Amino acid sequence: MHLKFTNGPRTLSILLAGEWSIKTLPLIESEVQAVSFESVKMIEIDARQIVISDISAAWLIHDLEMRARAAGLTTSYAGNKPVAVQLVSQTLVAPVDNLALDESPESFQPITALGHQITERIAYWISGLAFIGELSMHLVRSIMRPRHWKPISIARHLYETGITAVPIVALIAFLISVITAYMGAQQLRKFGADIFVVDLVTVGVLREMGVLLTAIIVAGRSGSAFAAEIGAMRLNEEVDALEATGVNAIQSLVLPRCIGLVIAMPLLTIIADIVGLVGGAVLCHTLLDMPLTQYVQRVNESIAPSTFWVGLIKAPVFALLIAAAGTYRGMQVRSSSRELGRLTTVAVVQSIFLVILADAIFAVIFMELDL
Amino acid sequence: MNMSTPIPIIEALDISNSFGAQLVHDHLDMTVNTGEVFGIVGGSGSGKSVLLRTILGLQHPQAGKVRVFDRDLTSMAETEIHEVKASYGVTFQAGALFTSLTVMQNVQLPMLEHLNLSPRALDELAMLKVRLVGLPPEAAYKYPAQLSGGMIKRAALARALALDPRLLFLDEPTSGLDPISAAGFDELLMGLQKELALTVVMITHDLDTIFRTCNRVGVILERKMVSDTLVGIVNNPHPWIQSYFHGGRARRFGAVHGA
């Protein structure tokens, strides 16, 4: 027990005892909260028997005094008020209670909230458009002045986003084409149309799946890396340091990533296409007992001259979308490490969304063009 | 301050640290006594921060012993080190405030980790610490990005004081502050050191701060430490110490401090 009570006529004497330190604080706090001031006009705190070993303990004595005052009691100390408690009282002289209220959320006003949402959205679209504008401007400018290209930087990003992604892209392409062929074979076998499994795999992989899956993997790998890398540079003020040295951040950070990815993505797509066709061949050979010569012949028959190019042409577009979304989100990081995490997530989600949206638009265009 | 019978609070004995082939500390000894303000001084790259990390138990020395509060840090289990960590406060060079938390939440984080308090006590105690370091109450609800350099240093000090430590480690507490803010910080530190009976260990390059606050100074020289009282160090004949305290940047102190 840290509080000992002696009830006098209308006066409650509280003798403080035991260890008063931050370690025993939770215990003492519950005792202080349980003190009842009923039918008392005055309290006297006697702290002469304890050693107040830290400021948190002193705060509790101060708190006890404040509670008593709030209940309309007069308070006094037996002997002098302890020095540490005096320090706490002096530190807290200015009232702070209503300041906390300033920060409490305002009552919900639907119209204001809607207005905020709309203006925020508009500002958000404008800044996105501004980024695209700036990026295209620099892109055009750097094409006209090859001196400004950053070959070392581009090569680094080509390596990191392209070459290191080859194993995972190949593995996924292989598995997806095996799955497609397997599912297709099960259905087509019912009609005795086993041979069309080859058409399914070839057209599916070359036109859609090769490039789309590559784009999704690249968005997850490189889109997030771009956002996190540039975001961390912003937090370290490295981007400001670049700008202050007269180096344009878009030119030196964003462009090499975009160019690197635009080169890497078509190459990855070609690898995915090849591995996908190999996967189809493996499955047709083992499951449908189709000779490899027949498979190759059927592949040749099933594709139009444009099939491969229709898939490949999408790769640089997807690459640009992923790189732009990643670097844009990275550049938006301002103040905190939490923002970095949030914007990295946004970068990945948006780049995947943009890729699929663009793919849908391509599908419509190619249909209209009869490709 | 009782200088006649010094009671050691930190004893680092025979410390050796190296990175690859580069030896940073070579059988270095350092003692800090209870109640003093001890300044660690050394050239850039002389291993001041490594020494601090070793004493804090964040890094194991390759050889030697660290005793803090009379307990051997180097032979301690993880759980014991956790307990010792509750008994000292640290501020880092750049403040190292958690950027996603308000100042108030920053101060509350060590309390949440080590104590089981009611939300009201948490708020009030955190506010007390914020006011104690001289920040206005409204600063408690701001995020680190919204604070000035001087306020960040103070907020970091408030977080270091969250658990009422006896021992405070400060890594360059006044670097990056203007002279007036730095002087204000020194004054605050001296006031708190007296009122809360703190022992302070600080790494600093700020000669003003050294002369204003330190009782004793340890200089890392040739991978070892030379420590003495402030006056003793200033009069040490070693050429590096002489040029540190009496070089161009320091000359103006000669007249003021009679050193």
Side-chain angles (χ1 to χ4, degrees):
Chain A
M1 291 297 283
H2 297 88
L3 303 175
K4 289 176 183 153
F5 305 100
T6 322
N7 270 309
R10 304 170 61 187
T11 306
L12 180 67
S13 296
I14 304 176
L15 178 69
L16 311 183
E19 190 194 348
W20 283 65
S21 75
I22 194 158
K23 287 193 196 98
T24 53
L25 208 61
L27 280 175
I28 313 175
E29 201 207 347
S30 53
E31 282 184 48
V32 169
Q33 275 172 349
V35 176
S36 130
F37 298 116
E38 257 174 59
S39 70
V40 192
K41 286 268 179 277
M42 231 184 110
I43 64 158
E44 188 188 50
I45 300 170
D46 186 347
R48 285 175 296 189
Q49 289 188 19
I50 57 161
V51 179
I52 301 168
S53 50
D54 49 47
I55 196 101
S56 301
W59 168 77
L60 260 183
I61 301 175
H62 168 83
D63 190 44
L64 178 64
E65 191 187 340
M66 288 300 127
R67 276 168 192 272
R69 289 223 190 132
L73 279 67
T74 42
T75 58
S76 66
Y77 284 87
N80 289 329
K81 187 171 175 176
V83 182
V85 183
Q86 284 180 30
L87 174 67
V88 173
S89 312
Q90 281 161 17
T91 309
L92 295 173
V93 267
V96 293
D97 292 338
N98 43 3
L99 267 161
L101 288 176
D102 291 348
E103 293 294 316
S104 66
E106 297 163 24
S107 59
F108 182 69
Q109 287 169 316
I111 307 232
T112 320
L114 183 69
H116 274 302
Q117 280 281 331
I118 291 171
T119 46
E120 236 168 66
R121 288 282 136 175
I122 292 172
Y124 169 92
W125 280 105
I126 290 176
S127 76
L129 283 175
F131 182 81
I132 293 169
E134 211 174 337
L135 180 59
S136 343
M137 200 179 75
H138 282 283
L139 203 58
V140 172
R141 206 180 281 170
S142 78
I143 287 168
M144 293 193 297
R145 278 183 295 183
R147 199 166 57 82
H148 285 262
W149 290 9
K150 302 200 178 307
I152 296 172
S153 189
I154 292 172
R156 188 200 126 201
H157 293 296
L158 185 55
Y159 174 79
E160 279 177 7
T161 60
I163 295 175
T164 57
V166 168
I168 186 68
V169 166
L171 181 66
I172 300 262
F174 182 82
L175 291 176
I176 287 292
S177 74
V178 166
I179 293 166
T180 315
Y182 186 69
M183 298 301 291
Q186 274 187 332
Q187 301 300 319
L188 293 169
R189 191 173 277 165
K190 293 178 192 160
F191 311 102
D194 296 21
I195 192 70
F196 288 108
V197 170
V198 181
D199 297 54
L200 185 68
V201 169
T202 312
V203 176
V205 166
L206 291 187
R207 279 191 73 125
E208 286 293 336
M209 248 126 51
V211 64
L212 196 59
L213 285 166
T214 305
I216 288 171
I217 293 163
V218 166
R221 282 181 92 252
S222 307
S224 60
F226 290 174
E229 214 175 351
I230 294 179
M233 287 182 78
R234 281 213 72 107
L235 288 183
N236 283 336
E237 296 183 321
E238 286 171 58
V239 176
D240 294 340
L242 273 179
E243 296 273 4
T245 354
V247 180
N248 185 290
I250 302 259
Q251 174 111 30
S252 63
L253 296 178
V254 177
L255 266 193
R257 284 175 173 78
C258 292
I259 297 173
L261 200 59
V262 166
I263 300 171
M265 264 284 281
L267 301 178
L268 284 173
T269 304
I270 293 171
I271 291 172
D273 287 351
I274 295 168
V275 177
L277 291 182
V278 170
V282 168
L283 192 105
C284 290
H285 187 65
T286 51
L287 200 73
L288 306 176
D289 293 325
M290 189 185 289
L292 280 178
T293 44
Q294 195 189 346
Y295 179 81
V296 173
Q297 194 192 345
R298 186 65 208 164
V299 166
N300 274 326
E301 284 164 16
S302 67
I303 56 175
S306 64
T307 310
F308 170 72
W309 293 107
V310 158
L312 194 66
I313 194 89
K314 299 187 226 176
V317 178
F318 291 175
L320 205 56
L321 290 173
I322 293 167
T327 50
Y328 172 56
R329 292 304 167 191
M331 294 295 273
Q332 275 188 324
V333 174
R334 282 287 177 276
S335 52
S336 76
S337 40
R338 178 188 289 174
E339 235 182 17
L340 177 59
R342 185 180 68 82
L343 286 167
T344 307
T345 314
V346 170
V348 175
V349 173
Q350 280 191 340
S351 49
I352 292 178
F353 166 75
L354 287 173
V355 162
I356 291 176
L357 185 71
D359 196 43
I361 295 171
F362 271 120
V364 173
I365 294 174
F366 290 147
M367 207 173 69
E368 292 297 319
L369 291 177
D370 255 348
L371 285 171
Chain B
M1 191 138 343
N2 193 349
M3 296 299 277
S4 53
T5 51
I7 311 158
I9 192 166
I10 301 171
E11 286 173 289
L13 303 171
D14 226 17
I15 299 291
S16 292
N17 273 314
S18 58
F19 293 115
Q22 191 202 353
L23 198 58
V24 182
H25 301 132
D26 180 16
H27 303 287
L28 175 148
D29 293 315
M30 168 181 151
T31 307
V32 178
N33 297 316
T34 308
E36 69 184 5
V37 179
F38 186 88
I40 299 175
V41 166
S44 299
S46 63
K48 299 181 296 290
S49 294
V50 177
L51 181 61
L52 188 68
R53 288 176 54 83
T54 309
I55 299 169
L56 291 176
L58 296 176
Q59 183 178 328
H60 218 82
Q62 264 129 12
K65 266 188 181 168
V66 180
R67 296 180 67 80
V68 180
F69 301 109
D70 233 4
R71 300 168 72 180
D72 190 351
L73 260 185
T74 36
S75 66
M76 238 179 230
E78 238 0 86
T79 47
E80 282 178 282
I81 293 184
H82 186 75
E83 203 182 300
V84 172
K85 280 178 181 166
S87 57
Y88 60 67
V90 196
T91 72
F92 292 92
Q93 243 179 71
L97 292 173
F98 307 114
T99 48
S100 57
L101 304 177
T102 62
V103 170
M104 182 93 130
Q105 290 167 330
N106 263 286
V107 177
Q108 286 171 345
L109 191 118
M111 300 185 192
L112 285 169
E113 173 71 25
H114 290 281
L115 299 172
N116 185 18
L117 292 173
S118 69
R120 183 179 159 272
L122 270 177
D123 285 352
E124 301 250 326
L125 280 173
M127 184 54 91
L128 174 65
K129 299 291 154 65
V130 169
R131 311 272 326 253
L132 207 57
V133 296
L135 287 174
E138 56 270 23
Y141 303 100
K142 291 194 170 150
Y143 287 92
Q146 297 168 289
L147 300 179
S148 70
M151 287 169 103
I152 285 177
K153 298 275 188 186
R154 280 170 191 257
L157 186 61
R159 187 179 67 185
L161 291 172
L163 295 173
D164 286 327
R166 300 285 141 73
L167 181 55
L168 202 55
F169 294 97
L170 310 175
D171 193 352
E172 306 217 6
T174 53
S175 68
L177 298 189
D178 67 85
I180 299 168
S181 306
F185 192 91
D186 291 343
E187 222 163 82
L188 167 74
L189 186 65
M190 292 313 290
L192 289 176
Q193 192 257 339
K194 271 202 198 81
E195 270 157 359
L196 308 179
L198 297 171
T199 306
V200 180
V201 178
M202 70 163 100
I203 292 175
T204 185
H205 286 303
D206 188 336
L207 288 171
D208 285 299
T209 301
I210 295 174
F211 283 111
R212 266 195 297 254
T213 61
C214 292
N215 310 115
R216 292 206 310 134
V217 176
V219 183
I220 300 183
L221 272 179
E222 286 133 31
R223 298 178 286 281
K224 293 187 193 304
M225 180 173 276
V226 181
S227 53
D228 204 338
T229 58
L230 182 59
V231 177
I233 278 289
V234 171
N235 293 323
N236 191 305
H238 191 284
W240 192 88
I241 299 178
Q242 281 304 308
S243 72
Y244 188 92
F245 286 101
H246 301 284
R249 300 176 69 116
R251 208 158 287 139
R252 62 211 158 93
F253 290 106
V256 180
H257 297 277

